[in-house]
């Protein structure tokens, strides 16, 4: 998660920085006439994938927390112990696993 956040931060800054820099005398970018399409595409893919990784982590993390809290608030009747709680436990563990995988 920390690595995905750092990548998203660096890629966001790189998206607004032109390749080659600026001419100090005129202020015009060096590669103004021929933009580097490969850089733009790789920058966009990197930003989207790292942002998606961060969002997936938070989505699955919040979902697993809510499921485990709903297990604590259940009434502990026979029907809950036989059907509802095992389903909630499996779904909560699956979303917790997916949050770890998305890191």
């Amino acid at each position: 998660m920390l690595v995905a956040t750092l990548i998203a931060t660096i890629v966001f800054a790189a998206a607004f920085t032109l390749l080659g820099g600026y001419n100090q005398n005129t202020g015009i970018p060096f590669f103004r006439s021929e933009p580097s399409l490969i850089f733009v595409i790789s920058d966009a893919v990197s930003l989207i994938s790292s942002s998606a990784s961060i969002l997936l982590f938070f989505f699955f993390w919040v979902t697993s927390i809510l499921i485990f809290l709903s297990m604590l608030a259940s009434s502990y009747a026979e029907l809950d112990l036989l059907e509802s709680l095992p389903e909630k436990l499996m779904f909560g563990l699956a979303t917790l696993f997916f949050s770890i995988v998305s890191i």
Side-chain angles (χ1 to χ4, degrees):
M1 166 99 164
L2 180 65
V3 173
T5 305
L6 289 174
I7 289 172
T9 304
I10 292 168
V11 169
F12 183 76
F16 294 105
T17 306
L18 291 176
L19 289 174
Y22 297 95
N23 187 348
Q24 295 294 326
N25 298 328
T26 61
I28 297 174
F30 288 121
F31 295 123
R32 182 182 67 163
S33 61
E34 51 184 69
S36 177
L37 187 61
I38 295 172
F39 175 75
V40 172
I41 291 173
S42 65
D43 195 37
V45 167
S46 177
L47 182 63
I48 290 170
S49 65
S50 62
S51 299
S53 170
I54 294 168
L55 290 175
L56 280 175
F57 170 74
F58 280 119
F59 171 74
F60 286 123
W61 178 69
V62 168
T63 304
S64 65
I65 294 293
L66 290 176
I67 289 172
F68 289 134
L69 287 176
S70 73
M71 288 173 59
L72 288 174
S74 65
S75 62
Y76 297 114
E78 283 185 33
L79 184 63
D80 287 338
L81 291 174
L82 292 176
E83 294 177 6
S84 179
L85 284 177
E87 289 175 0
K88 287 180 184 177
L89 181 64
M90 291 306 292
F91 190 67
L93 289 174
T95 55
L96 186 62
F97 173 74
F98 287 131
S99 73
I100 293 170
V101 168
S102 68
I103 293 175

